[in-house]
Amino acid sequence: MTVKLATLKNFIDGKAVESTSTETRTIVSPATGEELFQAPESSQEDMDKAVEAARRAQPAWEAKSPWERAKICHEIADAIDRNIEKLAHMQTMEQGKPYKEESIPDMEETAENFRIAAEDVKRMETSIIPSEDVNKRIFTFRKAKGVYACIIPWNFPPLMLAEFAAPGIAAGNTMIFKPSEWTPGTISLLMEILEEETNLPPGVLNVVYGSGPAGQYLVEHDGVDAIGFIGSHNTAETIIRSAGFKPSIIEASGNGPTIVCADADLDRAAEAAVFGAFFCAGQVCCATARVVVVESVHDAFVEKVVEEAKKWKLGDPFDDDTTVGAMNNEPNAQKMDAHVKDAVEKGARVLVGGERQAGMPTNLYYQPTVIDQVGLDTLINKHETFGPIVPIITVQDDEEAIQVANDTYLGLQSAVFTKSSARAYKYMNQLQTGNVVINDTSDYWEAHVPFGAAAGTRTGWGRIGGRYTMLDMTDLRTVTWDFSE
Ligand code: NAD
């Protein structure tokens, strides 16, 4: 017997709406292999309606006081908290990550983003600027950019939505989201919850499902004022070209190095590097993508890494003791296969794992992997891998470590392990990444902290995180007011 799968509805103008398109995509759980539901490949008509709804809603939404918008953000956060298990369950089903260790905390952070935005917007003060003319007062205020189209990835579905939506709507923008075609379900559930349990006005947050072309249509839409993008650098480059004069926040790929200096606390460095590589099966923009270790401590460090790596348990993401779940999708798992194969062909040695785990419900369970003697000419060193892998590259000294770390076109987040403040200071200044972590995992962030790329790389621009996103999502308007009679 074939069971007819439900088709997700877009969320437009405050309600769930069937897509006018008949084209759908079946979402299969990477964790269980089960067919979960279908998502529409939204039509241009659907997207036009979403843009119209957002445009209609924007002036009245911006005209509300920041306190009224903040109240709605608090309602959203509370609704997420009330439904946290339901949301986390859906995320683990469609994304593959461990339920207890990751999906529950992801939902807590999603709610936290709305709380932070609710409080930040009340404190977005600006300035009065002295004037040459005694009759004039010049001041600035922050004005919402208008209607945002936001395109987001599959590694943290509702959290990535919240990173734009919370500061975006708190500041008075209205928004259309296009979630990843791999993970539309948790966001669909979230919108159902918001419709039922909050007073979010129609048109403020709209969601349309679809793949790349849907995103592209929104980016180019005349009714859209600004763009938010989180995803790979290849897509980012297409979006940047299509966006023309639309202002954008671009948060793209990382290839983050973790540097282990000669004076590092090796236990701490090993634990942090393994965490950074295996958390979310390595599918994090600021994952520990390369470990650059100084030769004098290489052997001792590698021994500790192997010991740490063996503590991580690959398995059913719904088991409480599972720490590595399924990878999200086959193209990404194939990238991991190709990167490991390439490194081994070029002389690297697999110390732990190194292949997909047989006997699992799907073929997306990749063994947590440690690979040593990774060469500089490898795909792993040059590009983002996005899988559960600790690749170890050996260098002679700090100078070479900085050179290797910076020899990439991506520059998001790095980590350095050293007991010397002087050394940490040097790395902090010389690493070509927007964020540098000293003595902790590269997979560290907090919701209110600015997070983004270093200029000169292809990771993007703008900042995600609390009030910094709100600054990016508003224009500074300057008012010159002449008081003369
Ligand atoms: P992706 O670029 O394949 O897709 C991202 C989104 O873009 C999806 O919604 C997709 O449908 C859409 N898209 C694809 N083509 C498009 C087009 N031509 N126009 C408009 N939209 C289009 O990325 P992914 O595989 O979903 O996500 C993984 C990537 O995201 C990794 O590279 C990771 O580093 C990055 N990421 C970055 C951050 C950050 O803050 N810097 C955070 C999370 C993930």
Side-chain angles (χ1 to χ4, degrees):
M1 189 184 79
T2 48
V3 180
K4 188 161 171 1
L5 296 174
T7 302
L8 301 183
K9 291 182 177 163
N10 289 326
F11 188 81
I12 299 174
D13 212 9
K15 50 190 180 298
V17 184
E18 243 170 64
S19 169
T20 58
S21 150
T22 50
E23 201 186 325
T24 56
R25 178 186 174 97
T26 302
I27 309 300
V28 178
S29 170
T32 65
E34 213 177 308
E35 291 192 344
L36 299 175
F37 40 76
Q38 294 192 312
E41 184 61 43
S42 295
S43 64
Q44 295 188 352
E45 190 186 339
D46 298 335
M47 289 182 280
D48 290 345
K49 282 188 183 142
V51 174
E52 278 161 27
R55 284 233 77 85
R56 245 190 336 268
Q58 203 276 329
W61 178 243
E62 187 178 4
K64 285 184 188 295
S65 102
W67 270 255
E68 287 175 89
R69 295 197 300 269
K71 188 166 174 287
I72 300 290
C73 288
H74 278 300
E75 284 181 18
I76 294 174
D78 293 345
I80 294 169
D81 282 350
R82 278 194 298 275
N83 293 278
I84 197 158
E85 284 92 4
K86 216 158 70 170
L87 288 161
H89 186 276
M90 173 65 97
Q91 176 173 278
T92 291
M93 276 307 269
E94 71 171 356
Q95 204 284 339
K97 62 173 75 182
Y99 171 80
K100 179 167 164 260
E101 289 290 320
E102 298 192 23
S103 280
I104 291 278
D106 278 6
M107 297 311 146
E108 288 167 349
E109 196 182 341
T110 301
E112 177 70 357
N113 269 273
F114 283 96
R115 292 205 170 92
I116 289 172
E119 294 313 308
D120 277 343
V121 73
K122 298 173 186 168
R123 298 175 181 83
M124 294 301 285
E125 72 274 8
T126 49
S127 57
I128 295 187
I129 302 167
S131 169
E132 293 173 4
D133 180 342
V134 289
N135 290 317
K136 290 192 171 60
R137 293 289 178 272
I138 303 178
F139 61 92
T140 56
F141 70 98
R142 294 220 152 258
K143 188 150 175 54
K145 282 197 169 22
V147 172
Y148 262 86
C150 293
I151 318 286
I152 52 175
W154 46 260
N155 53 351
F156 297 83
L159 180 56
M160 298 291 110
L161 175 137
E163 285 185 347
F164 283 139
I169 66 168
N173 298 288
T174 56
M175 311 181 91
I176 305 116
F177 277 84
K178 207 292 288 163
S180 167
E181 57 273 41
W182 297 100
T183 53
T186 321
I187 289 174
S188 170
L189 178 58
L190 174 64
M191 298 319 291
E192 256 175 53
I193 292 167
L194 300 191
E195 185 188 356
E196 281 167 21
E197 300 187 23
T198 71
N199 294 298
L200 179 70
V204 171
L205 271 184
N206 306 275
V207 179
V208 289
Y209 303 102
S211 52
Q216 179 102 26
Y217 184 76
L218 283 172
V219 168
E220 290 174 3
H221 203 291
D222 282 345
V224 165
D225 299 308
I227 308 296
F229 174 73
I230 306 178
S232 67
H233 85 279
N234 283 328
T235 307
E237 294 196 18
T238 309
I239 286 183
I240 291 159
R241 279 191 292 273
S242 318
F245 273 104
K246 288 174 187 158
S248 58
I249 299 177
I250 302 288
E251 297 288 349
S253 316
N255 188 17
T258 285
I259 296 156
V260 183
C261 299
D263 65 346
D265 175 334
L266 297 184
D267 290 313
R268 200 164 156 181
E271 192 183 341
V274 170
F275 174 88
F278 295 167
F279 176 73
C280 196
Q283 302 163 121
V284 187
C285 53
C286 57
T288 300
R290 300 176 291 153
V291 180
V292 180
V293 56
V294 171
E295 193 174 25
S296 58
V297 291
H298 170 273
D299 293 357
F301 174 72
V302 171
E303 202 177 303
K304 289 176 193 294
V305 164
V306 168
E307 217 174 282
E308 273 302 319
K310 288 183 176 161
K311 295 181 190 165
W312 284 66
K313 187 171 173 298
L314 177 72
D316 177 353
F318 288 103
D319 280 354
D320 282 358
D321 57 350
T322 291
T323 44
V324 187
M327 294 186 76
N328 177 255
N329 60 69
E330 183 57 27
N332 196 46
Q334 281 179 13
K335 180 149 68 112
M336 174 83 178
D337 291 336
H339 280 203
V340 171
K341 183 166 178 280
D342 167 78
V344 169
E345 280 170 6
K346 291 173 179 161
R349 282 182 55 223
V350 174
L351 303 182
V352 181
E355 58 190 13
R356 302 197 199 197
Q357 181 66 46
M360 303 301 279
T362 71
N363 195 26
L364 291 168
Y365 289 83
Y366 205 103
Q367 296 168 347
T369 294
V370 178
I371 179 166
D372 193 17
Q373 294 166 21
V374 173
L376 298 182
D377 60 341
T378 54
L379 296 171
I380 289 178
N381 182 45
K382 291 183 173 159
H383 306 286
E384 180 184 60
T385 301
F386 231 50
I389 182 166
V390 185
I392 298 166
I393 298 169
T394 312
V395 293
Q396 292 308 311
D397 51 27
D398 293 331
E399 273 60 43
E400 197 188 350
I402 290 171
Q403 195 191 332
V404 169
N406 287 344
D407 189 17
T408 175
Y409 55 94
L410 301 170
L412 187 58
Q413 180 142 302
S414 52
V416 182
F417 283 84
T418 174
K419 290 181 190 141
S420 152
S421 306
R423 194 174 246 146
Y425 187 81
K426 181 171 161 175
Y427 276 102
M428 174 187 99
N429 279 300
Q430 294 190 12
L431 285 171
Q432 185 70 345
T433 54
N435 324 293
V436 181
V437 182
I438 313 285
N439 291 328
D440 205 343
T441 174
S442 71
D443 238 346
Y444 189 88
W445 68 88
E446 294 186 27
H448 64 297
V449 172
F451 179 89
T457 71
R458 296 194 197 169
T459 291
W461 46 73
R463 288 294 179 265
I464 283 290
R467 71 194 310 274
Y468 300 93
T469 317
M470 216 177 278
L471 293 174
D472 277 348
M473 288 187 149
T474 49
D475 283 338
L476 198 58
R477 179 154 297 183
T478 304
V479 181
T480 302
W481 195 324
D482 193 305
F483 286 89
S484 52
E485 295 290 320

